[in-house]
Amino acid sequence: MNLERMGETLAITGAAAGLLGILGGAALNDDCSSGETSVLCVTAATLMAGGVAATIIGFTMYMTGISRIDKIRKVQFSDSFQLEVIPGGFYCSHPQNYPTGITLRISF
């Protein structure tokens, strides 16, 4: 769930940074197209590129988190998941007997 939340936050933040970079680049269009590299032009370009990269990474993290949660829920609520507590069923060859105790068997 943390991966899902972090991905969602990163995707939203990246989209906002990319949009801010696009709007800043559009406002500075005349200054940036003249061939001079000002700090504002570099900042706008960095925001656009970083925003796109952060959005892609965040979306990937979000989708990975969602698929992991779905797999866990599928196992939790499926009929194939079994939890058994049985008497100790392992044969110990050294004393040649079955040890006392219980065995927890989980299968899915």
Side-chain angles (χ1 to χ4, degrees):
M1 291 177 67
N2 287 337
L3 188 62
E4 176 189 358
R5 285 189 208 122
M6 285 178 15
E8 184 177 355
T9 304
L10 188 61
I12 291 171
T13 305
L19 182 63
L20 187 64
I22 290 171
L23 293 176
L28 298 171
N29 190 20
D30 293 335
D31 294 337
C32 294
S33 63
S34 64
E36 297 179 18
T37 56
S38 68
V39 174
L40 293 175
C41 294
V42 171
T43 303
T46 304
L47 280 173
M48 281 188 278
V52 169
T55 302
I56 291 170
I57 292 169
F59 185 70
T60 305
M61 288 171 58
Y62 177 76
M63 294 306 293
T64 303
I66 286 285
S67 67
R68 287 182 181 173
I69 289 172
D70 287 343
K71 287 178 185 177
I72 290 170
R73 287 186 180 146
K74 189 184 295 182
V75 168
Q76 282 179 342
F77 299 116
S78 68
D79 293 334
S80 64
F81 179 74
Q82 296 177 351
L83 179 66
E84 299 174 319
V85 178
I86 57 174
F90 296 107
Y91 182 74
C92 186
S93 63
H94 181 64
Q96 296 180 350
N97 65 354
Y98 289 96
T100 58
I102 61 171
T103 300
L104 178 65
R105 183 185 305 166
I106 301 172
S107 60
F108 43 112

